Amino acid sequence: GCGGGGQQQAAAGGGGTDAGSSAGADAETYTIRFAHIENEFTAAAQGCQLFKKHVEELSNGRIVVDILGAGALGGEREIVESVTMANIEAGMAMSSLFSTYLPNWEIFDLPFVFKDRDDWAAKVDGELGQMLAAETASINMKVLSYFDGGFRSISNTKRPVASMADLSGLKVRVGESTLLINTQQALGSNPIPMSFGEIYTALQQGTIDGVDTSIIYVIDGNFQEVAEYCTETNHSALQMVTFINQDFYNSLPADLQEAVDTAAAKATVEQRVAAVEADLMAIEVMEEAGMQVDQASAAFSAEMIEAAKPVVDGYRDKIDASVFEAAGL
Amino acid sequence: MIGKFGKLFNQMEYYALITALSVMVIVIFSQVVMRYVFNNSLSWSEEFARYLFVWFSWMGVSAGVKGKEHLKVELLAEALGKRGFLNAKEVLSIIVSLVWLVTTLIVAYYGIQVVQMQMKLSVVTPAMRMPVWIGYLSVPACSIVVGIRLVATIVDSVKKLLGYDNTGLPGGESEVES
Amino acid sequence: MEILAMFGVMLLLIAIGLPIGYAIASSTIFTFVVFSSTSLRIVSQNAFTGIDSFVLMAIPFFILAGILMSAGGVARRLVDIADAFIGWITGGLGMASILTATFFGAISGSGAATTSAVGSLMLPEMKRKKYGDEFSATLIASAGSIGVIIPPSIPFVVYGVTVGVSIGDLFLAGIPAGISMCVALMVACYLISKKKGYRGSDTKPSIKNIAHTLKDGIWALFAPVIILGGIYSGIFTPTESAVVAVVYSLIIGTFVYKELTLVKLKESFYTAAVLNGVIVFIIGFSGAMAKYLALENVPQRVSQGILSLTDNPILILLIINVFLMVVGMLIDNIPAIIILSPIFLPVVQSVGVTPLQFGVIMVLNLAIGYVTPPYGTTLFVASAISKISVDRLSRYAIIFTLVLCVPLALVTYWPWFTNGFVALFK
Ligand code: NA
Ligand code: NA
């Protein structure tokens, strides 16, 4: 039983590194080792399963996708590095992982770039998404899908956040990124960078009052057990990206490349439907746990957009003007 | 000449380790003070301390070779020594050092590849915008120092085996801690 | 097949005396070369990414705090307090050692540091009072293992990072387990001492003496309050609390007890640096081995294998405990945690054990492994201090291992000791 997996991988890895071996390409099978850090129930993790299903079907089993989820292969940064270095073939991570390589990718985390899900989908499927995807060739990667990770909201233990005044001084956890820190500072809160795993206890003990993440990840971290209020501020997109090693992709026969592309496209459409459903489910779970979930009012949103403008403008010299334009800024 | 250089290197290593640990203490402690006294978090401090920690840890690996501090099971060597098979014990230690040397050189070789890839992609850290390869460099750099020290150990053992050195076998090497 | 080859090569290399960390690296490299086409870059990559973590920085700080507390006179004052309380009873010196190790464990995150601090102070004293040499050394080694169960604890930090459990909660859950280890060892020490006629110290039980030692040692006793209180009140992260402990011990040792000199300081920092060096890199290489196992779906295969044998929770936990006990005899706790927790966690979760509880089960098993030859970390330290070879310590090692199985059983089969206790603070 042990040998099978190893040999299959040997074949696939061979495809990745010495691409010349495809003389008898038709008979060859490939394994895509696909890593991510999410729990099974998130829409993004479901999207990876959908990709697996479609690829295996469309390739008539000539491609096997081996999903290594829940962080079995390490954190997101490690996954991105492992795919660029061809240690594994594919993976999923937040867009911000790419901005350390490609500054233009910071556009996703800028505040209020996308008005709503439709606006977001139009932009990532349009010129913006294509421009950014084209850049990843320089790091030996090919973007497969832009998955929907929801929009960032603010959940907290203190008070309903309905105005700028409510945000003021709130100790809000943010992901470890300067841009996210700057955004919260502009909104008037007191940002505290912290890794996801420490949030629950920090909320419980009052090290932080709130957390900046999208609602599916609120229930992923069980924050509904400790937080009381959530406001869907939608201040930035939590962009999930799936990607494959470019050399490995190039080594696939043309029909299998097509199978991968088609599978990714199908998984993208279905994942976005799943993301909307997952959000509804998440809100239900949060409300059942006694959390109050609110939408930001139009007036409040307008105030936040105004307050966050300097952050956006601060990135005009870091991100290409053409990307800003494609994002509608 | 080589001995003199080795001595200088050991001195530098000693002070680099002490300094790195002191700086880590100071940086993290200031972070705590800044957050509670001035209500202000430093975004670079954590990243800086982490990279220093990786270098500090890998430098400690090679310093541990110098002081023979690495965690290991010595029952076989002890048993050989007790039964008077001193040559066999020496041969065993040479074999162990050779396996160790090959391993550390492989780690160094591929470590250099990783550094080169990070350089080519010009990846930088999020807060300080410092090249990431500087962190990765700790692995091959210190692995090479480990390798050099192992070669010295092997040369010593071979000399001993061939009878150039009659000072006898070292008795109680300092034991491990964790 | 490739898994057996990998572990076989690793154990062979450990047996001939290759340092544990490099035995793990060598066997991982061997397996990647022979059974997979994945580039060996993954090993060198993990040697960096595996330790590039803010949380793991707690390790050198907890080591340094322990060393500074020893060098600065804190350990000696803890001994005085323990001696004043129970030194006069039959076997009192042994019991005072256990109690001191428990106190000191609340400052130090490492079993070896605890053993070394307590052993260097107590072993000469026990020898003077005609306690058996083998008994004393093995007792100190066993008591030292409490150091990683009573928080703070390096193995709990590593487990928390590996599995993604709150380190604060793990620390909290270590308290009842550590106290029950302390009690179990004290009872065993008393019974053996009674049989062997080991007497107490010359200290007469007196309120005055107790009050005096408490007054002198108040700063030592205050250290755990800062470390643990700081973490639980949310003032510090574990790493920050470790740094605060370092700064605190610097201040106490230099200005209050006035025992830390510049020379001692330099030596303490260097010792901590080397100790950190020989531990932390193992995390990186173990991470590479764990990646190989994940790529081969080993966790799923083991999980299915065990569940196909039985689905009885009691039996499953027994199997895993026995396995971990054997692992603890052979390798260090840090690689064991990184390599094995992703393998066993799915199994135990399927029978209702929480990741928190499993963390305590695992670390306690591996702490017992500190005392079991051939590879026993605290046993090595005690052997070095007492100048008694490890094989002469084996007889008492077996006895104390069995004694420590009592707290292990409590933690394994009685969730109050872990989940229940932590829930009290929520
Ligand atoms: Na401890
Ligand atoms: Na052991």
Side-chain angles (χ1 to χ4, degrees), chain C residues 345-402:
Chain C
L345 194 59
V347 186
V348 297
Q349 278 187 298
S350 73
V351 295
V353 173
T354 62
L356 177 75
Q357 186 187 355
F358 187 61
V360 182
I361 295 175
M362 182 149 203
V363 174
L364 184 46
N365 257 302
L366 299 168
I368 296 174
Y370 279 159
V371 192
T372 55
Y375 183 86
T377 312
T378 63
L379 204 62
F380 288 169
V381 176
S383 152
I385 297 175
S386 63
K387 309 264 189 306
I388 304 174
S389 73
V390 168
D391 47 328
R392 272 176 61 202
L393 301 179
S394 302
R395 190 166 70 94
Y396 278 108
I398 295 170
I399 296 175
F400 287 122
T401 300
L402 291 174

Side-chain angles (χ1 to χ4, degrees), chain C residues 125-390:
Chain C
E125 200 62 17
M126 290 171 85
K127 196 174 176 72
R128 210 168 57 79
K129 284 278 159 186
K130 306 212 161 28
Y131 282 60
D133 290 345
E134 285 90 354
F135 167 79
S136 304
T138 321
L139 179 80
I140 297 282
S142 313
S145 69
I146 300 175
V148 290
I149 304 298
I150 290 281
S153 151
I154 291 170
F156 278 145
V157 170
V158 173
Y159 179 84
V161 171
T162 307
V163 171
V165 182
S166 155
I167 289 161
D169 285 356
L170 284 164
F171 279 6
L172 207 50
I175 294 174
I179 291 174
S180 58
M181 285 169 86
C182 172
V183 172
L185 285 175
M186 292 235 271
V187 170
C189 173
Y190 178 79
L191 294 176
I192 295 172
S193 299
K194 192 150 193 179
K195 201 173 143 216
K196 297 266 182 180
Y198 300 150
R199 303 208 335 271
S201 65
D202 303 325
T203 318
K204 292 282 167 294
S206 85
I207 301 285
K208 199 177 150 214
N209 190 25
I210 289 178
H212 174 74
T213 56
L214 279 178
K215 187 167 169 269
D216 192 35
I218 186 76
W219 294 104
L221 292 174
F222 198 58
V225 177
I226 295 185
I227 299 174
L228 302 179
I231 297 175
Y232 295 119
S233 57
I235 301 179
F236 313 131
T237 65
T239 306
E240 291 172 348
S241 81
V243 159
V244 172
V246 167
V247 173
Y248 181 77
S249 51
L250 275 172
I251 293 171
I252 299 302
T254 315
F255 299 111
V256 181
Y257 295 150
K258 302 196 172 68
E259 293 184 21
L260 275 180
T261 58
L262 189 64
V263 176
K264 268 191 181 176
L265 262 182
K266 271 160 64 176
E267 278 313 309
S268 300
F269 271 65
Y270 186 71
T271 308
V274 174
L275 282 185
N276 173 75
V278 300
I279 295 171
V280 165
F281 81 103
I282 301 179
I283 297 172
F285 286 145
S286 306
M289 183 179 267
K291 297 290 152 60
Y292 181 82
L293 296 173
L295 287 169
E296 291 301 313
N297 288 315
V298 171
Q300 292 86 327
R301 275 156 42 192
V302 170
S303 177
Q304 282 158 8
I306 294 181
L307 291 173
S308 72
L309 284 177
T310 172
D311 56 0
N312 180 330
I314 295 177
L315 220 52
I316 287 179
L317 286 170
L318 184 67
I319 294 171
I320 290 178
N321 271 316
V322 170
F323 184 84
L324 288 174
M325 193 85 82
V326 174
V327 167
M329 292 169 74
L330 302 172
I331 66 170
D332 195 52
N333 60 6
I334 287 173
I337 289 167
I338 297 170
I339 295 161
L340 297 176
S341 49
I343 296 183
F344 287 129
L345 194 59
V347 186
V348 297
Q349 278 187 298
S350 73
V351 295
V353 173
T354 62
L356 177 75
Q357 186 187 355
F358 187 61
V360 182
I361 295 175
M362 182 149 203
V363 174
L364 184 46
N365 257 302
L366 299 168
I368 296 174
Y370 279 159
V371 192
T372 55
Y375 183 86
T377 312
T378 63
L379 204 62
F380 288 169
V381 176
S383 152
I385 297 175
S386 63
K387 309 264 189 306
I388 304 174
S389 73
V390 168

Side-chain angles (χ1 to χ4, degrees), chain C residues 1-74:
Chain C
M1 178 54 212
E2 65 266 41
I3 307 305
L4 287 179
M6 181 165 79
F7 287 121
V9 169
M10 182 184 81
L11 291 177
L12 176 77
L13 292 174
I14 290 174
I16 64 170
L18 190 65
I20 306 279
Y22 280 94
I24 289 168
S26 306
S27 52
T28 306
I29 288 171
F30 164 82
T31 318
F32 268 116
V33 169
V34 176
F35 297 105
S36 153
S37 68
T38 304
S39 165
L40 288 179
R41 277 191 301 267
I42 197 169
V43 177
S44 302
Q45 184 198 9
N46 271 279
F48 169 77
T49 53
I51 62 183
D52 174 25
S53 149
F54 186 71
V55 184
L56 291 179
M57 285 183 69
I59 294 176
F61 298 146
F62 279 138
I63 293 174
L64 180 60
I67 291 174
L68 289 175
M69 296 258 180
S70 264
V74 169

